[in-house]
Amino acid sequence: MAIEKTIPYGRQNISDEDIQRVVEVLKSDYLTQGPMVPEFENQICSYAGSKYATAVNSGTSALHIACLALGLGKGDWLWTTPITFVASANCGLYCGAKIDFIDIDPETWNLSIEKLKLKLEAAENSNRLPKIVVAVHLCGYPCDMEIIHELSKQYGFHVIEDASHAVGGKYKGEPIGSCQFSDITVFSFHPVKTITTGEGGMAVTNDRELSTRMELFRSHGITRDPMLMTGKTHGPWYYQQIELGYNYRMTDLQAALGISQLRRIDEFIARRHYIAKRYDEELAGYPLQKPHRSSDKYSGMHLYVVRLKEKQANTTRHEMFDSLRKQGIGVNVHYIPVHTQPYYKKMGFTFGDFPEAEQYYSEAISLPMFPDLTDEDIETVVGAVRKSLK
Ligand SMILES: *Cc1c(COP(=O)(O)O)cnc(C)c1O
C-alpha cells in the first residue's frame, strides 16, 4: 500500500500576509538592525506582559545571554530537567558552569517540585547550591512557578523559564513571559514552535539591568551608551567593548515574519487545544497516559505526547512508533534524557540517575500537533494509533 503523504509531528503556518511583510523588508533600507526588531520586541512585551525583550537569532542564544546576564560562570551550578532539548542544559556549559538535573514529576512531566526541594536541602549541606534553575515548560505545560519562585528566595538562586514550548500559555491567569516568578523567560521561534521567524528567539524580563546586559551580550559586548563607558566618549562615532559578547542578532526579515505571525498566535493555540481535546476524547480508554491538565495552567500546547503503558498494552513503544511511521504518521520522541547523551555521560552521568525521566523516555511518543492539522488528519492519526495498539 502506497502512503500518499506523511503527516509531520509539527509544521509552520505561513500566510500570504507573512510573505508580504518579509518582502517589504527586503525592499526597504534595512535587512538587519532596522526598525522591525524593536517593533517585534515591543509587541512580544505587550503580548507576554514583560517590561523588556531582547530578540536574538535562536532560543539557544536567548538561553545563553540569559545565563551570562545572570552572571553564571566557572564553578557555578545550573540545574534543569533531563526531559528537555539539550540547549536547556548546554547554555550552562557555554558559561563554564557545571550541570545537574532534577528528576521529573511522573504526572506533569516537568521538573518535580518534591525532588527539587530534596535536592536543594542536600545541596545546601554540601555547599553546591545552584546559581540558576532552568524551569522548562515541557510541551507548553507550565511548571509550578510560584513554588519554584519561593524556593529561589529561600535558597538564593535565579530562575530562567525555558518557554520555548510555552509562548501563548498562561500560569495563574498571567501570560507566560510576564516573569512574575522568574528573572528571565526565553522563547524560541524555530519553525516547529508556536510562532516562527525561521530561526529566532527572545529573552524577556522585568529587570532593566538584566535587559541591558542581555543586549550587550547579543552584540559583541559593545555599547554606545556613554553612561556605560569607562572614561569619556571620543565623539559621536565612538563605541566601547565592555564585555565579551557575540553576534546573536535577529534580522529585520525575521522580526517582520515574527510580527506577522504574532497576530495569529491565539488562533494557533486555540486550534492546538481543539486538536488536543479531540485526541483526549478519541484515545480515551486506550493504555495511553495523556498530557496533564490543571485549571490554573493554560498550556501553549506545543506537543501532544502520549505515554504508552506497555504492561496494559499488547505492544511496545518501539513497535507502536514503527507502526505509526509505517502508516504515514510522522511521530517523534521528545526527549531523550539529556544526562544519557554521550557528551553528558562523559561528565559522569549514567543511566539510572533519573529513573522517572528514563521511564518517561521509554514510553513517550509525540503525535502530530500543529494548527494546519485538519479534522480529517486528526481522524487519520487516531485511526493509526488505534491500529498500532492492536
Ligand atoms: C527548541 C528548543 C530550544 C532551542 O531553541 P532554538 O530556537 O532551536 O535554538 C530550547 N529549549 C527547548 C525546550 C526547545 O524545545
Side-chain angles (χ1 to χ4, degrees):
M1 194 183 74
I3 302 289
E4 284 149 38
K5 65 164 188 177
T6 296
I7 301 175
Y9 86 85
R11 189 180 148 74
Q12 70 278 11
N13 168 297
I14 300 294
S15 68
D16 289 341
E17 171 96 17
D18 290 343
I19 294 167
Q20 206 180 320
R21 292 283 95 84
V22 175
V23 170
E24 279 166 16
V25 174
L26 279 168
K27 292 177 178 170
S28 77
D29 292 336
Y30 298 100
L31 302 188
T32 190
Q33 296 179 279
M36 287 300 151
V37 170
E39 177 61 27
F40 186 34
E41 290 171 339
N42 286 340
Q43 292 198 13
I44 288 283
C45 283
S46 327
Y47 182 77
S50 65
K51 284 195 189 148
Y52 309 100
T54 308
V56 284
N57 58 0
S58 73
T60 304
S61 303
L63 284 164
H64 188 190
I65 60 168
C67 289
L68 289 169
L70 289 168
L72 190 72
K74 212 164 180 275
D76 294 329
W77 287 92
L78 177 145
W79 291 2
T80 190
T81 165
I83 300 297
T84 184
F85 186 55
V86 291
S88 314
N90 287 347
C91 57
L93 297 180
Y94 296 157
C95 300
K98 289 174 281 187
I99 308 299
D100 205 351
F101 299 96
I102 309 137
D103 206 354
I104 66 162
D105 179 305
E107 295 301 319
T108 67
W109 312 337
N110 284 327
L111 67 82
S112 156
I113 296 294
E114 290 315 307
K115 297 268 167 61
L116 175 60
K117 283 181 182 165
L118 291 172
K119 206 176 171 78
L120 285 167
E121 281 168 25
E124 190 174 41
N125 294 328
S126 56
N127 262 319
R128 286 158 58 116
L129 281 170
K131 181 149 193 171
I132 295 176
V133 170
V134 177
V136 181
H137 306 312
L138 189 74
C139 307
Y141 189 74
C143 295
D144 291 310
M145 290 313 301
E146 198 165 3
I147 307 175
I148 295 171
H149 178 74
E150 277 166 23
L151 291 169
S152 77
K153 295 297 160 215
Q154 189 182 340
Y155 289 95
F157 58 85
H158 297 294
V159 180
I160 298 175
E161 292 175 70
D162 181 344
S164 297
H165 299 179
V167 65
K170 288 193 180 80
Y171 175 73
K172 300 201 169 176
E174 296 295 324
I176 298 291
S178 63
C179 296
Q180 215 187 333
F181 300 112
S182 65
D183 296 280
I184 297 168
T185 300
V186 162
F187 301 124
S188 164
F189 307 126
H190 182 278
V192 299
K193 309 288 163 76
T194 310
I195 57 168
T196 190
T197 58
E199 296 280 1
M202 190 85 76
V204 300
T205 183
N206 294 326
D207 183 317
R208 196 182 154 152
E209 202 173 313
L210 285 178
S211 165
T212 304
R213 288 181 62 70
M214 290 196 287
E215 264 178 48
L216 267 181
F217 288 116
R218 163 175 70 180
S219 201
H220 308 281
I222 280 172
T223 184
R224 288 177 184 278
D225 180 355
M227 298 294 286
L228 297 177
M229 292 180 185
T230 58
K232 280 208 187 101
T233 172
H234 298 178
W237 66 87
Y238 193 58
Y239 59 81
Q240 273 186 355
Q241 185 194 342
I242 58 171
E243 287 282 0
L244 181 62
Y246 300 82
N247 180 354
Y248 281 167
R249 291 188 302 263
M250 177 181 274
T251 68
D252 275 48
L253 303 170
Q254 292 168 306
L257 180 54
I259 291 166
S260 188
Q261 289 259 307
L262 193 57
R263 296 179 59 181
R264 306 202 295 294
I265 188 169
D266 289 335
E267 233 174 86
F268 290 162
I269 292 177
R271 178 73 192 172
R272 285 173 177 272
H273 276 269
Y274 167 80
I275 296 164
K277 191 159 165 283
R278 288 290 309 278
Y279 282 156
D280 282 349
E281 289 164 1
E282 302 284 340
L283 297 174
Y286 289 85
L288 300 170
Q289 185 192 351
K290 303 188 190 66
H292 199 256
R293 302 282 204 285
S294 139
S295 58
D296 62 353
K297 294 172 180 169
Y298 182 67
S299 176
M301 203 53 80
H302 166 54
L303 296 171
Y304 190 93
V305 172
V306 292
R307 288 178 66 169
L308 176 67
K309 298 290 141 193
E310 286 191 0
K311 284 196 189 118
Q312 302 157 36
N314 298 321
T315 186
T316 65
R317 194 276 305 270
H318 200 136
E319 283 168 353
M320 181 179 172
F321 188 96
D322 288 346
S323 162
L324 287 165
R325 279 281 176 96
K326 248 184 239 152
Q327 295 180 75
I329 312 299
V331 284
N332 222 315
V333 173
H334 298 94
Y335 287 95
I336 304 156
V338 179
H339 70 283
T340 66
Q341 293 291 354
Y343 193 83
Y344 281 83
K345 276 186 167 166
K346 277 194 284 183
M347 293 170 215
F349 293 107
T350 175
F351 212 83
D353 284 349
F354 304 101
E356 290 295 349
E358 292 159 21
Q359 182 68 24
Y360 166 95
Y361 171 56
S362 72
E363 299 174 351
I365 293 189
S366 305
L367 301 182
M369 171 54 81
F370 55 96
D372 286 349
L373 202 68
T374 65
D375 284 41
E376 204 188 326
D377 290 334
I378 297 169
E379 276 167 36
T380 306
V381 174
V382 166
V385 170
R386 288 175 176 167
K387 199 171 161 202
S388 75
L389 289 169
K390 286 249 173 76

